Amino acid sequence: MKKLIPVLVAALILMLASPVFAAEVKVTGSVSGITGYEGGLFYEGGATIGAEAQITDNIKAGIGFNFSNGLTDTIQNGMSWSDFAAMVDKAYIETSGALVTGLPSMTTRLGTQEIGYSIFNAYNIKGEGIGIRDLAIGPVALAGFQSWNPAEQVRGGQISVNPLEGLSVAANVIHAGADDTQQLSAALEAAVQPIEPLTINAAMGYMHDADDPAFAFAGGAEYQVLPYLGVHAGARKIDTNYAPRYMYSKLSNNEIGFNGGVTVSAFGATLDTNVDYAKAIEVVGEMDEVVYTGEMTLERPFSVAGMNFTPSYALTLSKAD
């Protein structure tokens, strides 16, 4: 599987360079930056660009580059094949439709898998492999994948259903690693919209441990006050030993937390603010008992010559007691 990306990259470059497919290519990109204070001032930034080509009605291919690491050295010293390969963030071919006549339709991806089933155990799983999604059987939709990232094999699946209007439920299971390093986790999430501007959501995460199973619980609500103004609030409790490998990095185990914020959308831009309070369930050693965090993110998508770009900038401030 390690040779899969270079092969796909070579095929995609030839395809995207062909006049036959030029009109079908969609180019997207993003530029991001974050400035923050957490015991000291820090700055991070990155840039990505990608292209997706519709080869036929049922087949498309994509490639993406991430310039966050090593771009300065590459500009100064030139680009080698290894530099180019390191910047390839994803490469894939997707097919849509039934694999066998008479079976349900689905989307199959060969190449880079990008999985985001849940922030509690399946956030930003990326690796080379094969995956399916949008496999509908009545009101139920199924998805699954098998991938190999540089560190380990990861596999998993998700089932989602909309049993009633305004109600959605999804559950997933993720198995990562092998032998002594294997880890099994699961998450169940639900969202209900009792009235059109209000959405209430709840989630539970589970990490298997034969000696001491661990859990995470969360709930929240979002309310669209006006077409351009929304508010949100939530609470969470994450056990001390709850630590799935693919949990969202901004979540931490061993904490009880509350958050709230405002989202404003105007003139094509979106400003999102959030304030978070996190308190340790068990204070160990010199760890902080309480952490206050404030975040603000500004995003303004735009298009140039048919290419879509999304620049964003974030400011974060954190204080611990």
Side-chain angles (χ1 to χ4, degrees):
M1 296 303 293
K2 292 182 179 179
K3 296 182 179 180
L4 182 58
I5 277 192
V7 172
L8 286 172
V9 169
L12 289 169
I13 290 175
L14 292 174
M15 179 192 66
L16 297 178
S18 170
V20 175
F21 298 110
E24 302 294 333
V25 176
K26 297 179 180 179
V27 179
T28 60
S30 68
V31 178
S32 62
I34 179 172
T35 299
Y37 185 88
E38 187 174 350
L41 193 65
F42 67 88
Y43 174 81
E44 297 175 358
T48 65
I49 189 168
E52 190 174 78
Q54 195 73 40
I55 302 174
T56 70
D57 291 341
N58 299 321
I59 301 176
K60 67 180 179 180
I63 186 170
F65 299 90
N66 190 325
F67 302 106
S68 301
N69 300 317
L71 182 59
T72 301
D73 292 340
T74 298
I75 293 174
Q76 293 176 347
N77 304 321
M79 179 180 290
S80 64
W81 168 251
S82 60
D83 293 329
F84 172 78
M87 290 183 182
V88 176
D89 187 49
K90 59 183 176 182
Y92 59 86
I93 296 176
E94 283 190 357
T95 64
S96 299
L99 295 180
V100 178
T101 303
L103 293 181
S105 176
M106 63 181 175
T107 300
T108 304
R109 174 182 282 203
L110 176 66
T112 307
Q113 305 299 306
E114 300 172 288
I115 307 300
Y117 295 156
S118 171
I119 64 173
F120 289 99
N121 73 323
Y123 181 82
N124 197 27
I125 300 176
K126 183 172 284 190
E128 308 317 307
I130 185 170
I132 65 167
R133 66 179 189 274
D134 304 327
L135 173 58
I137 303 176
V140 176
L142 303 177
F145 74 99
Q146 164 77 60
S147 73
W148 297 261
N149 65 25
E152 62 185 358
Q153 294 188 30
V154 190
R155 62 184 66 87
Q158 182 187 55
I159 179 171
S160 56
V161 61
N162 297 87
L164 299 170
E165 185 176 355
L167 173 64
S168 61
V169 181
N172 80 75
V173 176
I174 299 296
H175 181 273
D179 299 327
D180 295 338
T181 66
Q182 64 182 319
Q183 183 187 77
L184 182 67
S185 63
L188 174 66
E189 300 183 342
V192 61
Q193 194 172 40
I195 56 176
E196 188 171 345
L198 175 66
T199 300
I200 300 172
N201 50 70
M204 180 185 76
Y206 166 78
M207 190 184 80
H208 178 69
D209 187 319
D211 298 322
D212 189 13
F215 294 88
F217 301 93
E222 302 173 9
Y223 188 81
Q224 197 68 32
V225 182
L226 296 167
Y228 54 85
L229 176 64
V231 295
H232 65 268
R236 65 190 181 276
K237 178 183 181 296
I238 305 177
D239 285 352
T240 302
N241 58 329
Y242 184 84
R245 292 189 180 100
Y246 299 99
M247 180 170 68
Y248 182 36
S249 61
K250 290 187 178 181
L251 293 176
S252 299
N253 60 346
N254 186 34
E255 72 174 18
I256 296 175
F258 303 91
N259 71 287
V262 176
T263 300
V264 179
S265 300
F267 307 107
T270 300
L271 176 66
D272 186 60
T273 64
N274 187 68
V275 177
D276 187 89
Y277 166 88
K279 180 178 175 61
I281 298 174
E282 298 179 15
V283 178
V284 181
E286 298 182 356
M287 70 176 295
D288 300 315
E289 181 178 3
V290 178
V291 177
Y292 304 91
T293 304
E295 296 177 300
M296 180 180 70
T297 304
L298 179 63
E299 188 175 278
R300 175 62 165 89
F302 66 93
S303 298
V304 176
M307 298 181 292
N308 300 318
F309 295 91
T310 307
S312 64
Y313 191 81
L315 176 66
T316 178
L317 301 173
S318 182
K319 182 181 183 299
D321 290 333

